[in-house]
Amino acid sequence: MTGPRVIRNLALIGFMGTGKSSVGRAVADCLHFTFLDTDHVIEARAGKTIKDIFAQDGEPVFRDWEARIVEEITHRSKTVISTGGGLPTREANLASLKSHALVVCLWASPEGIYERVRDHSHRPLLDDADPLAKIRDLLAVREAFYRQADVLVNTEMRSIREVAMQVLHHFHMAQTAHA
Ligand code: S3P
């Protein structure tokens, strides 16, 4: 038998461009929690951008960084954790997050995602001749992982604030349920 679920933190997972960082900051403000972005922690530790990590060291090295950071944050409390879009594709990462956080996935369609990321160039995986096709392919592979979140929140046609309110609602419900 497993013990009661511990929910000290809130983790946001989801595809690139679904608003994890913006929503995460807004939610952290409301809860008076610390905001932590795994991508930022990795860049600070590695001393280079994610783009450079991918280009110079390769994606597997980046994924190892993610796994390391996920393990390091298990002791945290009162933290909103925003994760890189590919982080939940390692099962152990998701299991680790669930050991201390409510895991909320922000969802959007490939077209919606494309509209949000098309003017940005810092994401190496979308540096592709046909970014929309790449988004569709990656999302198809990742959907099964994203669906393992505790809660799925649709972000289409909703402002950052509206999505943040939904996330907060789920967090409060989960905390009450597991108190
Ligand atoms: C990635 C998403 C990025 C970043 C890296 C890889 C992915 O984070 O971790 O470029 O595999 O989906 P965001 O989801 O914050 O853009």
Side-chain angles (χ1 to χ4, degrees):
M1 225 177 84
T2 52
R5 181 85 182 268
V6 177
I7 298 182
R8 299 191 307 270
N9 304 303
L10 172 69
L12 294 175
I13 65 169
F15 204 82
M16 297 172 260
T18 50
K20 290 164 296 189
S21 300
S22 313
V23 170
R25 276 198 194 87
V27 170
D29 270 359
C30 290
L31 291 171
H32 303 293
F33 276 23
T34 305
F35 175 71
L36 182 149
D37 184 320
T38 58
D39 283 346
H40 292 166
V41 177
I42 292 169
E43 288 187 328
R45 285 286 185 81
K48 50 181 147 181
T49 62
I50 286 167
K51 209 171 178 167
D52 284 345
I53 300 176
F54 269 74
Q56 295 165 13
D57 312 321
E59 184 173 347
V61 169
F62 175 73
R63 299 296 169 204
D64 288 344
W65 270 113
E66 286 188 319
R68 211 171 304 145
I69 302 306
V70 163
E71 269 321 294
E72 284 179 19
I73 58 179
T74 51
H75 69 280
R76 294 197 69 108
S77 55
K78 293 185 182 287
T79 303
V80 175
I81 303 149
S82 169
T83 62
L87 185 143
T89 60
R90 276 200 191 173
E91 299 268 3
N93 288 344
L94 206 49
S96 178
L97 289 175
K98 281 190 176 177
S99 72
H100 57 90
L102 181 76
V103 178
V104 177
C105 178
L106 302 188
W107 188 260
S109 66
E111 294 74 19
I113 290 168
Y114 178 61
E115 280 309 311
R116 294 182 197 166
V117 300
R118 59 187 299 175
D119 296 328
H120 303 163
S121 62
H122 64 279
R123 294 182 173 101
L125 291 178
L126 299 182
D127 190 10
D128 193 274
D130 188 347
L132 180 55
K134 186 74 189 280
I135 291 167
R136 286 202 180 102
D137 290 349
L138 275 176
L139 199 54
V141 172
R142 292 179 177 181
E143 179 167 353
F145 297 100
Y146 293 146
R147 286 196 180 280
Q148 291 174 43
D150 296 306
V151 182
L152 224 69
V153 172
N154 189 6
T155 66
E156 300 254 317
M157 316 290 284
R158 285 182 181 157
S159 67
I160 301 288
R161 199 187 128 75
E162 285 170 315
V163 176
M165 290 302 133
Q166 287 264 332
V167 172
L168 277 168
H169 171 72
H170 287 291
F171 187 65
H172 289 315
M173 299 260 290
Q175 284 208 311
T176 310
H178 295 281

